[in-house]
């Protein structure tokens, strides 16, 4: 079902090649191992060195790609981000490809802002380079979030097995596959893309059981749940749910934009995610907004972009099937309340100065209030010498999960 959803070139009755996994992390490990082994086999047959494999990704990849590179001794060559462009640049990615590149990773739904990377453009450039060099560098699409979005909302978008260089795809069932946590999928374009020596066959359960896994024993509940959702909802059911998610994301995005205080960093075409950043953070920042939204029951992560755009901080809201239009409107109202609250307070730096002074000089506690802070030489010496650096370093920073 999933292979056909991703336009795998299967003939009638042909069995798709893939595996159920524990989330997309295991799926990515398996896909990476297949690329590495296939590259090594080819290099060996040509009598060339096969000890320095590398993969090319954007700096915005999920941490499991870094885990794969470190655990399985593969160099990770990442394309840095830049302000205004927060996904993989296809031109720069192909420039990094060499004869040791086992694959290029494209993301359909960036963790940071939900944006789809331009897989079609990457495929065109890689085709040209392969033709010029005689290499056969493939593409893996990390569709953990977007794999169950694009087929229903953007059926004409070419990102999957319709592209010649795309050889494997992973997707998370527990994101927009509408299944509870713990299930992912990896699918290969054809049988030749998964080296046979990576597959183990056992028959002590009564019949031949091929297996390619890293997690060994696991329950079947998520597999059953995924199958149930496919049968129960069907294509039209999934499409309806995803359209509703997109509509609610637009309601939230419009509401946040109407405050006039934020720049929207997510895109109209992508995962139903609203990523936004303060236009002016001279007084307050995204971390303060995230912390204060907790007072209203919202856990909205604040984090920085990947290298080299770390100076950009942002907030992110992921719209799932149970995030209603009413909830979107309530969140906008609560964001407005937090902004009003923060506007009425002194900047975070002044609050830190106040606390540092009163802790360092208890006798001044009654005389020092945020509105009266003046950085005289005495105060500056107290702050810099004693407390401020520790206080500023203690501010909470939220990572991307």
């Amino acid at each position: 079902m999933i292979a056909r959803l991703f336009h795998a070139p299967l003939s009638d009755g042909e069995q798709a090649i893939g595996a159920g996994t524990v989330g997309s992390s295991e799926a990515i490990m398996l896909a990476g191992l297949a690329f590495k082994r296939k590259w090594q086999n080819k290099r060996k047959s040509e009598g060339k060195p096969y000890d320095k494999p590398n993969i090319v990704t954007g700096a915005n990849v999920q941490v499991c790609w870094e885990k794969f590179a470190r655990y399985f001794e593969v160099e990770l060559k990442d394309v840095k981000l830049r302000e205004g462009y927060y996904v993989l640049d296809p031109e720069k990615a192909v420039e990094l490809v060499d004869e040791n590149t086992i694959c290029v990773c494209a993301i359909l739904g960036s963790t940071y802002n939900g944006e789809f990377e331009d897989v079609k453009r990457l495929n065109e450039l890689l085709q040209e380079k392969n033709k010029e060099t005689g290499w056969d560098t493939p593409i893996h699409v990390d569709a953990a979030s977007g794999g169950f979005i694009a087929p229903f909302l953007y059926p004409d978008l070419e990102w999957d097995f319709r592209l010649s260089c795309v050889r494997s795809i992973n997707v998370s069932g527990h994101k927009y596959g509408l299944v509870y946590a713990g299930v992912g999928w990896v699918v290969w374009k054809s049988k030749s893309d998964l080296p046979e020596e990576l597959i183990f066959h056992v028959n002590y359960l009564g019949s031949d059981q091929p297996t390619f896994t890293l997690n060994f024993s696991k329950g079947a509940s998520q597999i059953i749940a995924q199958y149930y959702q496919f049968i129960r909802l069907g294509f039209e059911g999934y499409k309806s749910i995803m359209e509703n998610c997109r509509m609610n994301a637009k309601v939230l995005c419009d509401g946040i934009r109407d405050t006039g205080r934020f720049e929207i960093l997510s895109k109209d075409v992508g995962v139903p995610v609203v990523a936004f950043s303060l236009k002016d953070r001279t007084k307050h920042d995204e971390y303060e907004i995230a912390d204060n939204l907790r007072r209203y029951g919202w856990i909205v992560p604040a984090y920085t972009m990947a290298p080299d755009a770390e100076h950009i901080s942002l907030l992110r809201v992921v719209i799932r099937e149970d995030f209603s239009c009413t909830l979107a409107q309530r969140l906008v109202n609560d964001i407005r309340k937090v902004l009003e609250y923060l506007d009425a307070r002194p900047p975070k730096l002044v609050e830190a100065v106040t606390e540092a002074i009163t802790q360092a000089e208890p006798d001044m506690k009654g005389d020092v209030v945020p509105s009266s802070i003046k950085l005289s030489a005495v105060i500056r010496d107290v702050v810099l010498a004693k407390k401020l650096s520790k206080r500023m370093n203690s501010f909470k920073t939220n990572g991307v999960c």
Side-chain angles (χ1 to χ4, degrees):
M1 289 178 173
I2 297 171
R4 293 189 186 281
L5 189 66
F6 297 161
H7 297 95
L10 299 175
S11 59
D12 291 341
E14 183 180 357
Q15 178 65 48
I17 305 300
T21 60
V22 179
S24 275
S25 293
E26 184 191 8
I28 285 168
M29 302 288 173
L30 299 181
L33 282 172
F35 282 123
K36 182 181 179 183
R37 183 58 60 90
K38 189 172 181 181
W39 173 83
Q40 287 177 325
N41 290 343
K42 182 180 179 182
R43 298 285 289 182
K44 288 177 184 178
S45 68
E46 295 172 347
K48 297 178 180 178
Y50 53 90
D51 60 333
K52 294 183 179 179
N54 68 68
I55 56 175
V56 175
T57 73
N60 58 315
V61 291
Q62 216 266 358
V63 69
C64 60
W65 282 97
E66 298 178 40
K67 290 181 180 179
F68 165 75
R70 191 175 302 177
Y71 295 165
F72 297 104
E73 298 180 324
V74 176
E75 179 190 3
L76 192 150
K77 300 165 72 171
D78 60 342
V79 179
K80 305 302 183 186
L81 309 186
R82 61 182 185 273
E83 187 167 350
Y85 200 98
Y86 304 117
V87 291
L88 177 75
D89 185 325
E91 282 78 10
K92 292 184 178 180
V94 173
E95 288 175 4
L96 292 178
V97 171
D98 58 31
E99 63 179 352
N100 294 319
T101 302
I102 64 174
C103 77
V104 180
C105 166
I107 305 176
L108 199 74
S110 171
T111 301
Y112 290 86
N113 67 345
E115 184 175 353
F116 289 169
E117 294 182 343
D118 193 346
V119 188
K120 185 176 181 180
R121 178 58 179 161
L122 177 63
N123 183 79
E124 292 170 350
L125 294 172
L126 202 52
Q127 274 184 318
E128 294 176 8
K129 187 154 190 172
N130 286 340
K131 187 176 180 179
E132 293 171 1
T133 60
W135 303 335
D136 188 25
T137 307
I139 294 172
H140 175 86
V141 180
D142 180 356
S145 296
F148 285 125
I149 296 289
F152 306 107
L153 296 184
Y154 314 105
D156 296 328
L157 181 68
E158 295 183 28
W159 63 273
D160 52 18
F161 292 130
R162 287 170 287 184
L163 303 176
S164 61
C165 292
V166 175
R167 310 308 301 181
S168 58
I169 299 171
N170 70 274
V171 63
S172 291
H174 58 232
K175 290 186 171 73
Y176 289 94
L178 309 182
V179 180
Y180 36 80
V183 63
W185 305 95
V186 58
V187 182
W188 285 271
K189 190 170 191 174
S190 66
K191 190 174 182 179
S192 62
D193 292 308
L194 176 58
E196 181 65 30
E197 66 251 43
L198 294 178
I199 304 172
F200 292 83
H201 295 264
V202 297
N203 63 7
Y204 45 71
L205 296 178
S207 63
D208 179 60
Q209 295 285 332
T211 175
F212 180 32
T213 178
L214 294 175
N215 276 295
F216 312 104
S217 301
K218 56 180 181 285
S221 57
Q222 292 96 340
I223 309 297
I224 296 168
Q226 185 76 84
Y227 184 64
Y228 170 77
Q229 291 287 61
F230 284 167
I231 296 298
R232 174 179 178 268
L233 296 172
F235 189 94
E236 292 302 320
Y238 269 84
K239 181 179 179 181
S240 176
I241 290 172
M242 300 313 157
E243 287 176 341
N244 189 61
C245 290
R246 179 172 60 181
M247 179 187 70
N248 291 333
K250 187 177 186 305
V251 170
L252 179 60
C253 183
D254 290 345
I256 291 173
R257 184 184 287 112
D258 289 345
T259 66
R261 302 287 291 274
F262 297 99
E263 178 184 357
I264 304 299
L265 302 182
S266 47
K267 304 295 182 182
D268 292 336
V269 176
V271 177
V273 164
V274 181
F276 51 105
S277 179
L278 279 168
K279 292 179 179 179
D280 179 9
R281 56 173 63 87
T282 56
K283 293 184 177 180
H284 302 285
D285 59 26
E286 291 79 4
Y287 298 98
E288 288 177 278
I289 293 174
D291 286 340
N292 281 279
L293 279 173
R294 288 175 177 264
R295 296 164 51 202
Y296 298 95
W298 299 101
I299 300 177
V300 180
Y303 52 94
T304 58
M305 276 289 184
D308 284 333
E310 300 101 328
H311 60 288
I312 303 294
S313 299
L314 64 156
L315 297 148
R316 180 192 61 175
V317 180
V318 180
I319 309 301
R320 298 291 296 274
E321 70 276 12
D322 56 351
F323 192 96
S324 66
C325 181
T326 303
L327 277 178
Q329 293 168 342
R330 183 190 299 178
L331 177 54
V332 171
N333 290 334
D334 289 341
I335 289 173
R336 289 183 178 275
K337 292 176 185 177
V338 167
L339 290 172
E340 292 174 2
Y341 170 77
L342 291 175
D343 287 343
R345 295 178 63 82
K348 182 170 67 172
L349 178 61
V350 172
E351 288 189 325
V353 170
T354 304
E355 183 177 339
I357 292 173
T358 55
Q359 288 183 10
E361 302 293 336
D363 294 341
M364 298 175 64
K365 186 172 184 179
D367 301 321
V368 179
V369 294
S371 59
S372 68
I373 288 292
K374 293 181 181 180
L375 289 181
S376 66
V378 174
I379 292 177
R380 185 170 61 250
D381 289 344
V382 170
V383 171
L384 295 180
K386 294 191 175 182
K387 293 292 182 180
L388 182 57
S389 61
K390 291 183 180 180
R391 174 70 179 121
M392 292 303 291
N393 286 334
S394 70
F395 283 125
K396 181 179 179 181
T397 58
N398 297 328
V400 177
C401 181

